[in-house]
Amino acid sequence: MIFLYILGIVLAILIILVLVAPKHYDVQRSVYIDRPVAEVYNYLKSVKNQDHWSPWKKKDPGMHQEFVGTDGTVGFVSKWDSDHKQVGAGQQEITALAENERVDTHITFLKPFKSESDGYLLTKPEGQGTKVTWGFTGTHTVPMNVMMLFFNMDKAVGKDFEEGLADLKQLLEQNP
């Protein structure tokens, strides 16, 4: 009988955790780049250019990559596969482009765990330059949402976004 009480309490705690755990996420970071918005946007809409500033490419420069379609257009797909645990495997597809405003992508992660997110790069004129916002958003499924109670995605991924944006800024400002 004690076992049933303990089991009931454990199940009640699990149900409460599932109900209160975050189900949606939106991680983003921004940087100011001293370049015109059209120049920055044209660079960002090419997914292959991410190889020059992506923190994950720096973690595994030798990762296997495949590209399908015409880069910088809706439907272009970039696939990657890496044994590095922070890089994993997956693909990114351009889903929408708004000239000089945004690049939207759908990202499918295959390993180290399966998940899907929607990525975005926003460009906005600011003074003589451009404010770039890099982010991604999605929904956690059960039990992943419960695990997010113990893992700060904003802090973990945000750090990578900050590093990538700093490299992007340096790259674009030093190469007119």
Side-chain angles (χ1 to χ4, degrees), residues 53-79:
W53 56 274
S54 164
W56 300 290
K57 181 67 174 186
K58 282 180 17 181
K59 290 177 183 177
D60 184 4
M63 75 173 84
H64 175 74
Q65 290 180 280
E66 281 182 55
F67 304 104
V68 179
T70 303
D71 198 4
T73 65
V74 172
F76 176 77
V77 177
S78 170
K79 300 177 182 184

Side-chain angles (χ1 to χ4, degrees), residues 3-172:
F3 173 75
L4 290 177
Y5 285 126
I6 293 172
L7 182 62
I9 290 170
V10 169
L11 286 175
I13 290 171
L14 286 175
I15 290 170
I16 290 169
L17 287 175
V18 165
L19 293 174
V20 301
K23 292 171 183 58
H24 301 285
Y25 57 90
D26 186 0
V27 178
Q28 62 176 266
R29 295 294 188 273
S30 297
V31 69
Y32 173 82
I33 298 176
D34 191 18
R35 286 283 178 254
V37 71
E39 183 181 324
V40 174
Y41 176 82
N42 284 329
Y43 185 82
L44 290 176
K45 75 178 184 179
S46 175
V47 174
K48 289 181 182 177
N49 284 338
Q50 291 178 8
D51 283 355
H52 305 291
W53 56 274
S54 164
W56 300 290
K57 181 67 174 186
K58 282 180 17 181
K59 290 177 183 177
D60 184 4
M63 75 173 84
H64 175 74
Q65 290 180 280
E66 281 182 55
F67 304 104
V68 179
T70 303
D71 198 4
T73 65
V74 172
F76 176 77
V77 177
S78 170
K79 300 177 182 184
W80 72 92
D81 190 1
S82 170
D83 290 328
H84 191 289
K85 67 180 182 175
Q86 291 179 317
V87 177
Q91 71 177 36
Q92 177 178 218
E93 178 179 354
I94 298 175
T95 57
L97 296 167
E99 190 72 23
N100 295 331
E101 293 180 16
R102 67 183 297 137
V103 177
D104 291 307
T105 62
H106 184 74
I107 306 165
T108 304
F109 298 98
L110 302 173
K111 68 177 187 181
F113 55 87
K114 292 183 180 186
S115 71
E116 294 186 32
S117 297
D118 291 310
Y120 55 90
L121 287 160
L122 309 176
T123 55
K124 181 179 179 183
E126 191 170 284
Q128 297 296 312
T130 305
K131 178 181 177 182
V132 174
T133 301
W134 182 21
F136 80 128
T137 184
T139 303
H140 296 298
T141 57
V142 176
M144 203 60 170
N145 70 322
V146 174
M147 291 172 53
M148 290 300 119
L149 288 170
F150 309 101
F151 176 78
N152 187 331
M153 184 178 286
D154 185 78
K155 185 176 178 182
V157 177
K159 180 180 174 187
D160 288 336
F161 283 3
E162 290 167 8
E163 177 185 340
L165 288 171
D167 288 347
L168 176 67
K169 176 180 176 67
Q170 181 180 14
L171 178 73
L172 291 180

